[in-house]
Amino acid sequence: MQTIVDVNSVEKSYGFTQVINHCSFQIYEGEIYGLLGINGAGKTTLMKMMIGLQQIDRGSIYILGKEVSSNTEYLSNIGSVIENPTFYEHLNARELLSMHLSYMRKKADISEVLHLVGLEKADKKRISEYSLGMKQRLGLARAIVHHPKLLILDEPLNGLDPIAIAEMRGLMRTLANEGMSILLSSHIIEEIRHTADRIGILSDGHIIQELSRCFSSSDTDRKQSDCEFVTEDEQKLLVENFEDYVIGLMRGERI
């Protein structure tokens, strides 16, 4: 299994406040890795360091075998939506994606991507007229239109209605099945639970526990009582009461 992202003992401080503390984890090809932590845990900071928007104080991050701090080649193989996506709002979606492809020096079927994110009927509407949910969809379209190998999504389901959330989960699963690796962050336990193949629980600036899904999230034949996740440690414990287990870890309790 190819390692797409390798985070090694990364540290980051703002003044005297250490936000990331000896944080390490890996993301493999074709998987959805869920970064789960409370607001302020450092999820966005980690993502910004991965794409060069924040400097790494100590440690290293390798993406597609390239060290983040030493070059920018890897960026052409990354798509990202971090915090609230911003656009040239006088453009329409088709114009925006065309400009992005030109900047990335790549070609793609814009109509296909707009269809994937559910914006094919609004492709000629000015972005200034878009709702919050439509802008979230457009941000995702811009992130995937150049067919990246790694997709980084920071709270991507914010502002979406229940139908759109189900559609976006399905799209992420499709992209992962096609070989794209996805890093998905959220503070909402159920969002990560329903979407991720593996979960890294971020607390005190580092991954305090990783969980692996026992079976594919697309396996509809499984019953809810079946195992969902198992701990990635020597004990390989089954996680039965998922929400209680995660909250207990975040509080520093043992379940």
Side-chain angles (χ1 to χ4, degrees):
M1 188 181 300
Q2 184 181 1
T3 301
I4 301 299
V5 176
D6 192 359
V7 178
N8 297 291
S9 299
V10 167
E11 298 182 23
K12 179 65 181 178
S13 298
Y14 297 109
F16 295 104
T17 302
Q18 188 167 32
V19 178
I20 304 299
N21 180 22
H22 292 286
C23 184
S24 300
F25 62 94
Q26 288 77 42
I27 301 174
Y28 303 113
E29 183 178 13
E31 76 168 352
I32 302 175
Y33 188 95
L35 193 60
L36 180 61
I38 63 173
N39 289 329
K43 303 184 298 296
T44 300
T45 297
L46 269 172
M47 290 178 159
K48 286 183 175 180
M49 287 192 289
M50 292 172 67
I51 60 173
L53 293 179
Q54 291 281 356
Q55 185 177 358
I56 301 168
D57 291 346
R58 281 172 291 278
S60 62
I61 299 176
Y62 286 83
I63 296 179
L64 298 167
K66 305 291 185 180
E67 188 170 6
V68 165
S69 60
S70 62
N71 70 86
T72 59
E73 286 181 34
Y74 71 99
L75 290 174
S76 64
N77 286 309
I78 293 179
S80 64
V81 182
I82 296 180
E83 295 183 323
N84 296 321
T86 57
F87 311 102
Y88 294 110
E89 299 210 348
H90 64 285
L91 301 178
N92 62 43
R94 189 172 293 275
E95 291 169 337
L96 181 85
L97 296 183
S98 178
M99 183 176 67
H100 179 72
L101 285 170
S102 177
Y103 173 76
M104 299 295 290
R105 298 181 180 179
K106 295 194 176 184
K107 295 181 179 181
D109 187 339
I110 291 175
S111 295
E112 179 184 5
V113 173
L114 289 172
H115 175 72
L116 281 174
V117 301
L119 288 177
E120 67 273 20
K121 294 182 179 179
D123 62 331
K124 296 181 181 178
K125 179 186 285 190
R126 290 194 177 195
I127 299 170
S128 60
E129 301 174 37
Y130 276 22
S131 66
L132 174 60
M134 292 171 72
K135 288 181 178 179
Q136 288 290 97
R137 290 170 181 262
L138 181 57
L140 180 58
R142 182 172 60 184
I144 66 174
V145 69
H146 58 289
H147 301 290
K149 294 182 179 179
L150 172 65
L151 181 60
I152 299 175
L153 301 175
D154 186 16
E155 307 276 1
L157 303 183
N158 285 351
L160 298 183
D161 58 50
I163 294 176
I165 288 173
E167 291 174 349
M168 289 302 104
R169 284 177 181 158
L171 176 56
M172 282 188 272
R173 176 52 50 197
T174 297
L175 294 171
N177 289 342
E178 292 174 352
M180 189 180 296
S181 303
I182 301 175
L183 173 59
L184 167 70
S185 83
S186 183
H187 62 279
I188 301 173
I189 293 174
E190 287 302 298
E191 180 179 324
I192 295 293
R193 177 180 187 175
H194 287 298
T195 310
D197 299 309
R198 288 196 302 131
I199 297 172
I201 301 171
L202 185 66
S203 183
D204 295 325
H206 63 279
I207 302 296
I208 59 173
Q209 180 65 275
E210 285 187 311
L211 308 174
S212 292
R213 189 176 290 278
C214 300
F215 56 90
S216 170
S217 61
S218 60
D219 189 347
T220 56
D221 293 331
R222 294 280 185 162
K223 299 178 182 179
Q224 289 185 349
S225 59
D226 288 344
C227 162
E228 279 191 275
F229 288 93
V230 61
T231 59
E232 284 199 352
D233 52 28
E234 293 181 359
Q235 294 180 323
K236 299 291 183 183
L237 297 176
L238 299 181
V239 179
E240 296 181 357
N241 299 310
F242 184 84
E243 184 173 346
D244 291 343
Y245 181 86
V246 170
I247 291 175
L249 283 175
M250 290 177 175
R251 287 175 171 169
E253 302 169 357
R254 288 175 176 258
I255 302 298

